[in-house]
Amino acid sequence: MSGKPRLIYLNGRGRMEPVRWLLAAAGVEFEEIFLETREQYEKLIRDGVLMFQQVPMVEIDGMKMVQTRAILSYIAGKYNLYGKDLKERALIDMYVEGITDLMQMILMFPFSTPEAKEKNIDSIKERATNRYFPVFEKVLKQHGQDFLVGNKFSWADVQLIEAILAVEEKIPAVLSGFPQLQAFKKRMSNMPTIKKFLQPGSPRKPPPDEHYVETVLKVFKK
Amino acid sequence: MAGKPKLYYFDGRGKMESIRWLLAAAGVEFEEEFLETREQYEKLLQDGSLLFQQVPMVEIDGMNMVQSRAIASYIAAKYKLYGKDLKERALIDLYVGGTDDLMGFILIFPFLSAEDKEKQRIFIVEKATSRYFPAYEKVLKDHGQDFLVGNNFSWADVHLLEAILMVEEKKSDVLTGFPQLQAFKARISSIPTIKKFLQPGSQRKPVPDDKYVETVRRVLCMYYDMKAN
């Protein structure tokens, strides 16, 4: 029952990547099982281990957890990345939810048609620079602290650095005009656990490619 | 700063309804300000009250909270509807995630064309009866307790009842074949705070109609072209 958490997902970012980031940031080693065929997925369903017949699924502390948000909240709570009280947790939740809305656009991007791709990049850029990044720029500027909430490293910081790097992959200069976020990005990237995760050979997954998209469609075909 | 929570949203269910349910279940009185015009919304934007320029927004304990999941988590924890420890909280989050996904299919329903509405109705009922209801039926059957988690009333129970009633509005006999859920529905509906919320005159909102859809589109200048799942 004890032992490393075990992640069950495809061999790619998708909805599991934030979980990889958070475990890595917390310095927690984990194992992964990669779904490559429909048969593997159907077996998981027959075995009754996917409560809503969906992945991500994470085996952790004797539980077979599904629902990404539930998994992340549990990990954040367990490893003290969730603030010191209810109000700090509320702030972390608000920030994480906002960032997740932005990440949703990136999540869906590989599945858009070639014609829609350019429009979608523009939408991501617009949302990042007009709605989400200004909020965190302002938060950091106003309190002048290193971390988003309570002067302490939290889930919100991990989620934000992940989002910044993901958006930069699509729009390399997106942080121009956001000096606080540039400094934040540098600070977070230098934290030992995150620095390690950003190095080659870590469990971090590369940007989704055609092979990943094909695998998703093959495994989950309706 | 103390005082009732104040909800900013349209006069309709949308993403605020789960929060109304939760506050009501906890026995907490709340005020509401209804968005009817684009000007009201623009004023909220200018005032800087909407962190990501969106509603729902709830003024509570000196915070302008946004993001419905964050708001509901805060309320659940504050009013002791979030389990007794991390593992119970994990289960509650898990169950709420499922009912959230199910209610998400219903959320877009009013904005669909008549043809897409029929497709979506079938989709909702299919997902409810093949994916979600069986999962919760099993949870209740396996532990034989009155509530989903930890033998104690929690957010997960409120959310599941809300989801059941919403699906029943699309197909009234949808709980046939789910005896545990039928008993659950009867039990949770008779909890005094919930019973009160289910009575006419409460702050529970009716099934969204065309007027609601027009208001949302007018105020947000969005959601003109929604498609079925």
Side-chain angles (χ1 to χ4, degrees):
Chain A
M1 219 181 81
S2 48
K4 303 176 189 175
R6 195 192 226 185
L7 279 50
I8 300 180
Y9 199 67
L10 300 106
N11 188 2
R13 289 184 182 176
R15 292 186 185 280
M16 188 63 100
E17 195 71 352
V19 177
R20 298 183 184 106
W21 267 93
L22 192 55
L23 285 169
V28 178
E29 282 182 28
F30 54 92
E31 292 169 0
E32 300 198 70
I33 292 197
F34 298 124
L35 294 184
E36 265 137 23
T37 66
R38 177 126 189 119
E39 290 66 43
Q40 273 174 289
Y41 174 54
E42 284 174 349
K43 182 172 190 302
L44 286 173
I45 295 180
R46 279 196 310 270
D47 291 348
V49 300
L50 304 179
M51 181 163 181
F52 304 116
Q53 301 143 22
Q54 296 166 317
V55 286
M57 194 268 270
V58 174
E59 291 172 2
I60 182 169
D61 297 340
M63 300 182 286
K64 292 181 164 42
M65 284 200 72
V66 297
Q67 291 286 328
T68 318
R69 221 184 247 105
I71 295 165
L72 289 166
S73 289
Y74 179 74
I75 294 167
K78 181 176 178 181
Y79 294 103
N80 292 311
L81 294 169
Y82 220 163
K84 71 178 196 300
D85 58 26
L86 224 53
K87 282 202 168 180
E88 285 194 353
R89 209 167 87 199
L91 272 181
I92 291 167
D93 278 341
M94 273 196 281
Y95 295 163
V96 161
E97 291 294 303
I99 297 165
T100 301
D101 284 348
L102 176 61
M103 290 293 279
Q104 179 72 11
M105 300 174 80
I106 295 181
L107 189 78
M108 295 284 103
F109 181 82
F111 301 91
S112 45
T113 61
E115 308 82 58
K117 279 195 155 73
E118 189 169 331
K119 195 173 123 240
N120 288 339
I121 298 238
D122 286 344
S123 297
I124 292 169
K125 184 179 182 189
E126 198 274 331
R127 280 281 187 257
T129 54
N130 290 338
R131 177 170 289 188
Y132 296 104
F133 287 175
V135 168
F136 302 108
E137 181 78 7
K138 183 178 179 200
V139 166
L140 291 167
K141 185 157 195 214
Q142 279 187 338
H143 61 44
Q145 292 164 3
D146 282 357
F147 306 105
L148 285 171
V149 178
N151 210 8
K152 192 164 178 269
F153 185 52
S154 80
W155 175 20
D157 301 302
V158 183
Q159 197 69 78
L160 181 55
I161 179 74
E162 180 191 1
I164 285 172
L165 296 181
V167 176
E168 277 186 330
E169 280 168 355
K170 301 257 169 297
I171 304 146
V174 75
L175 282 196
S176 58
F178 297 105
Q180 296 284 337
L181 292 182
Q182 290 172 34
F184 174 85
K185 174 191 163 187
K186 209 166 177 185
R187 273 196 313 274
M188 292 304 119
S189 303
N190 282 323
M191 292 189 64
T193 50
I194 296 194
K195 189 169 185 173
K196 187 173 173 201
F197 188 63
L198 290 174
Q199 272 155 8
S202 84
R204 188 184 185 211
K205 301 295 173 275
D209 58 12
E210 271 169 33
H211 173 69
Y212 172 76
V213 171
E214 270 165 39
T215 310
V216 171
L217 296 175
K218 181 176 72 182
V219 171
F220 299 121
K221 66 168 159 46
K222 282 191 203 175
Chain B
M1 217 176 86
K4 302 178 190 177
K6 191 176 190 188
L7 280 48
Y8 292 77
Y9 201 65
F10 312 101
D11 185 5
R13 289 183 181 178
K15 284 188 187 280
M16 189 64 98
E17 193 70 353
S18 294
I19 292 166
R20 297 183 183 106
W21 268 89
L22 190 54
L23 285 167
V28 177
E29 284 182 26
F30 55 93
E31 290 170 1
E32 303 198 69
E33 186 159 312
F34 298 125
L35 295 186
E36 264 137 25
T37 67
R38 175 100 192 144
E39 289 65 41
Q40 274 175 288
Y41 173 58
E42 283 176 352
K43 181 168 191 306
L44 284 175
L45 288 175
Q46 277 146 29
D47 291 345
S49 326
L50 306 180
L51 188 66
F52 302 116
Q53 302 147 15
Q54 296 164 315
V55 285
M57 191 271 275
V58 175
E59 286 174 0
I60 184 167
D61 296 339
M63 302 181 283
N64 287 340
M65 285 201 73
V66 296
Q67 292 291 337
S68 47
R69 185 66 73 91
I71 297 165
S73 289
Y74 179 77
I75 294 166
K78 181 177 176 181
Y79 295 102
K80 309 264 181 284
L81 293 169
Y82 221 163
K84 72 177 196 300
D85 58 25
L86 219 56
K87 281 198 170 183
E88 286 193 355
R89 208 168 89 202
L91 275 180
I92 290 166
D93 279 338
L94 210 164
Y95 297 160
V96 164
T99 36
D100 230 21
D101 286 347
L102 177 56
M103 288 201 275
F105 306 134
I106 301 178
L107 196 74
I108 64 169
F109 186 86
F111 294 87
L112 303 173
S113 66
E115 189 188 327
D116 272 3
K117 273 185 167 122
E118 229 356 82
K119 265 169 63 184
Q120 190 73 356
R121 185 189 310 269
I122 294 169
F123 179 83
I124 289 164
V125 170
E126 202 268 330
K127 282 285 185 265
T129 53
S130 66
R131 174 172 289 187
Y132 295 102
F133 287 174
Y136 299 105
E137 180 80 5
K138 181 172 194 285
V139 168
L140 292 167
K141 184 157 196 217
D142 282 352
H143 62 44
Q145 291 164 3
D146 282 358
F147 305 108
L148 283 169
V149 179
N151 211 10
N152 243 319
F153 183 50
S154 79
W155 177 20
D157 301 303
V158 182
H159 215 246
L160 177 57
L161 177 62
E162 182 188 0
I164 286 171
L165 296 183
M166 282 179 77
V167 179
E168 279 185 330
E169 282 165 352
K170 297 281 170 273
K171 186 172 194 284
S172 56
D173 62 352
V174 74
L175 281 194
T176 316
F178 298 105
Q180 297 284 336
L181 292 181
Q182 291 173 32
F184 175 86
K185 174 190 164 190
R187 263 194 323 269
I188 307 301
S189 301
S190 42
I191 290 176
T193 48
I194 304 239
K195 189 170 184 178
K196 188 172 170 199
F197 188 62
L198 291 173
Q199 272 154 8
S202 82
Q203 283 161 294
R204 186 182 183 210
K205 300 297 174 274
V207 180
D209 57 12
D210 288 340
K211 174 163 182 277
Y212 169 76
V213 171
E214 270 166 44
T215 306
V216 174
R217 285 175 170 163
R218 183 178 68 237
V219 171
L220 297 182
C221 300
M222 279 174 77
Y223 303 125
Y224 292 106
D225 195 26
M226 303 290 288
K227 297 276 182 287
N229 279 99

